[in-house]
Amino acid sequence: MESPAGLIITGCTVLTHDDQEEAVFLEDAAVVVRDGVIEEVTDAEAVAGRAADEWIDARGQVALPGLINCHTHAPMAALRGLAEDLPTEAWFNDVVWPVESNLTERDVTLGALLACAEMIRAGVTCFADHYFAMDAVAEVVAACGMRALLGEAYFSSQGPQGREKSLEFALRHRGAAGGRITTALAPHAPYTVNDADLAATAGLAHEHGLPVHLHAAENRDQTEASLARHGVTPVEVLHRTGVLDTDVLIAHGTGIVESDLPLLAQARGRTAVATAPRGYLKFAWPTTTPVRALRDIGVPVGLATDGAASNNSLDVWESMTLTSLIQKSTEGDPRWLTSRQALHHATLQSARAVGLEGGVGRIAPGHRADLVLVDLTGPHTQPVHDLAATLVHSARAADVRTTVVDGRVLMRDRRLLTIDVPEVVRELDERLPALVDRGHGRRIQEYDT
């Protein structure tokens, strides 16, 4: 007799993908999970009478692959709303980098806990994090049940120790939390990490089989400053230092210009870009991630939020909606980016961006059971004429009812099961005066692109 499944979700509509990666919605379906892996996607009748350790009746809901936040700084949730209505240079130099010189490991832990709670409630099952004191973030991920690609950020101003610490972290935590943690080398950006360190990082990535996660060509000003000072764009810096020969995740890329595209197209490694459109609007950057041009050369673009200090939110659902709308406006074409294309970026392309294609990003047999259930019974999502459009343009993060990672339910019926938010907020509030003090005159770095 077959042993009970770990989890059976039944009665829902399931977003799957066909062989051409087109979205297919299966109605009145069921998902069978065993040992954290999707064993079967079938119709609801086929699972009637089967044994399972846990059942979820999901009638009226849609099962989607868990969303992936392809670039964020989770602990910066503690700085949400601290630096508002400022240009990029003042945001860094006058507020964020002075405050970050105060960070303790406990501050990082509390910020990461708050961020993970927010992401779980918004249907995010995996995030790519790039910050400091990342041992603390790894502990939070292990405890709360999420999946993450983690990298210890460093600047060249730290000397060789910064790069070494990034490598040590990556090797120490690779495969941790039962395989839910993957790791990357995390130089901050070409304007804070010199060519020698970038080249050394590329060498370490090859030697140890690690990806690289960094900021590059974040905005057009950075690209123009790099051309004026060095005669090359930030992407050309990545090319000449060998970073584009590694598996690299580039954050933002709104400063990518046409001359960069052949270099990205010919890159020897797996190159991807993460777009976080809400922050670009807040900073009034004149350009956005060139999603269409990147698609044309085969570079996947994953969805992201950046940190809550700039974005104020870790809502990838909103990033999906904004990406579709901003791309329509930028391209002057309402036929681009369609709702189904937006869902493709939110699922398969985001999984590729963080190096987890084949493991997550689909609800399919053999994939990890990272999925969310979305309630579409509210008046703002009815009636449903086009399910993809309803999900992208009508549904909200608050419509996520249940979040599952590796077959474990982290939120059920909007109730968080792995993080005590009131206790996190209470302790964080006590620590805020010391954290936000800028009277010391220090800053961890200088923003001068």
Side-chain angles (χ1 to χ4, degrees):
M1 183 178 295
E2 185 179 49
S3 61
L7 171 67
I8 293 180
I9 302 169
T10 186
C12 54
T13 297
V14 178
L15 169 62
T16 64
H17 295 84
D18 64 19
D19 292 342
Q20 303 302 310
E21 298 189 350
E22 294 292 327
V24 177
F25 293 102
L26 305 179
E27 296 184 358
D28 196 22
V31 180
V32 180
V33 177
R34 190 182 301 275
D35 298 326
V37 176
I38 297 168
E39 183 177 73
E40 188 178 1
V41 181
T42 185
D43 60 85
E45 288 186 1
V47 301
R50 290 200 198 177
D53 296 332
E54 188 168 12
W55 277 80
I56 296 178
D57 183 343
R59 283 174 290 185
Q61 300 179 59
V62 178
L64 302 178
L67 298 178
I68 299 170
N69 192 340
C70 293
H71 174 76
T72 189
H73 313 285
M76 294 184 83
L79 309 183
R80 190 194 319 265
L82 185 64
E84 291 296 301
D85 306 317
L86 295 171
T88 309
E89 184 173 349
W91 186 88
F92 275 115
N93 289 336
D94 297 344
V95 184
V96 172
W97 278 348
V99 168
E100 285 184 327
S101 69
N102 300 328
L103 277 170
T104 68
E105 188 169 300
R106 187 59 185 168
D107 296 325
V108 169
T109 295
L110 294 170
L113 281 166
L114 191 62
C116 288
E118 180 181 356
M119 287 190 281
I120 291 168
R121 285 177 60 85
V124 175
T125 55
C126 176
F127 64 103
D129 215 43
H130 186 285
Y131 207 58
F132 316 107
M134 290 298 287
D135 287 324
V137 179
E139 290 181 8
V140 169
V141 171
C144 78
M146 290 188 75
R147 190 180 307 281
L149 169 66
L150 305 179
E152 177 87 25
Y154 78 89
F155 307 112
S156 284
S157 59
Q158 295 170 269
Q161 295 84 358
R163 187 178 71 239
E164 292 165 5
K165 186 176 182 182
S166 188
L167 174 62
E168 289 166 2
F169 170 84
L171 296 178
R172 186 166 62 252
H173 290 280
R174 178 164 55 181
R180 287 185 287 108
I181 292 177
T182 51
T183 55
L185 299 174
H188 177 258
Y191 65 88
T192 55
V193 179
N194 61 39
D195 283 14
D197 275 336
L198 288 173
T201 298
L204 292 171
H206 286 297
E207 181 181 351
H208 297 283
L210 290 165
V212 176
H213 180 187
L214 82 171
H215 308 84
E218 293 176 88
N219 55 46
R220 190 58 61 89
D221 284 347
Q222 287 180 12
T223 297
E224 291 175 355
S226 182
L227 283 167
R229 293 179 183 181
H230 312 295
V232 290
T233 69
V235 170
E236 288 173 322
V237 171
L238 301 186
H239 169 70
R240 75 183 185 187
T241 57
V243 173
L244 288 187
D245 293 334
T246 71
D247 291 341
V248 61
L249 173 57
I250 298 171
H252 310 312
T254 81
I256 291 172
V257 293
E258 188 172 355
S259 63
D260 293 326
L261 297 175
L263 296 177
L264 294 169
Q266 298 160 16
R268 297 180 190 175
R270 183 194 69 245
T271 302
V273 176
T275 188
R278 193 176 199 258
Y280 315 152
L281 295 174
K282 283 199 73 184
F283 281 130
W285 290 353
T287 54
T288 193
T289 311
V291 176
R292 196 170 203 165
L294 291 169
R295 183 205 62 166
D296 289 345
I297 61 172
V299 173
V301 177
L303 303 182
T305 64
D306 208 3
S310 60
N311 191 48
N312 299 74
S313 169
L314 300 175
D315 185 351
V316 177
W317 210 277
E318 181 185 56
S319 296
M320 176 170 61
T321 304
L322 285 175
T323 296
S324 177
L325 295 176
I326 292 169
Q327 288 295 313
K328 290 177 185 296
S329 177
T330 299
E331 297 289 340
D333 184 357
R335 296 162 296 187
W336 168 269
L337 194 120
T338 69
S339 298
R340 286 178 178 265
Q341 288 167 333
L343 287 170
H344 194 265
H345 285 279
T347 55
L348 296 178
Q349 292 209 40
S350 288
R352 286 181 185 134
V354 298
L356 294 176
E357 182 181 11
V360 301
R362 292 179 187 253
I363 299 179
H367 282 63
R368 305 305 302 182
D370 292 11
L371 55 90
V372 299
L373 297 175
V374 185
D375 185 352
L376 296 184
T377 61
H380 61 289
T381 55
Q382 291 294 321
V384 178
H385 296 293
D386 181 328
L387 183 50
T390 298
L391 288 167
V392 174
H393 294 295
S394 299
R396 308 164 184 159
D399 294 319
V400 177
R401 301 294 305 173
T402 299
T403 301
V404 179
V405 177
D406 243 18
R408 180 187 179 189
V409 179
L410 307 187
M411 179 180 74
R412 185 164 187 168
D413 293 329
R414 298 296 296 165
R415 178 172 171 262
L416 281 173
L417 302 178
T418 62
I419 299 175
D420 183 347
V421 175
E423 178 57 27
V424 172
V425 172
R426 182 200 62 77
E427 185 179 351
L428 184 58
D429 282 347
E430 292 178 353
R431 302 182 67 88
L432 283 180
L435 175 60
V436 303
D437 173 44
R438 288 178 278 157
H440 48 67
R442 300 187 307 270
R443 61 172 66 126
I444 62 169
Q445 187 67 35
E446 182 81 18
Y447 187 87
D448 179 18
T449 60

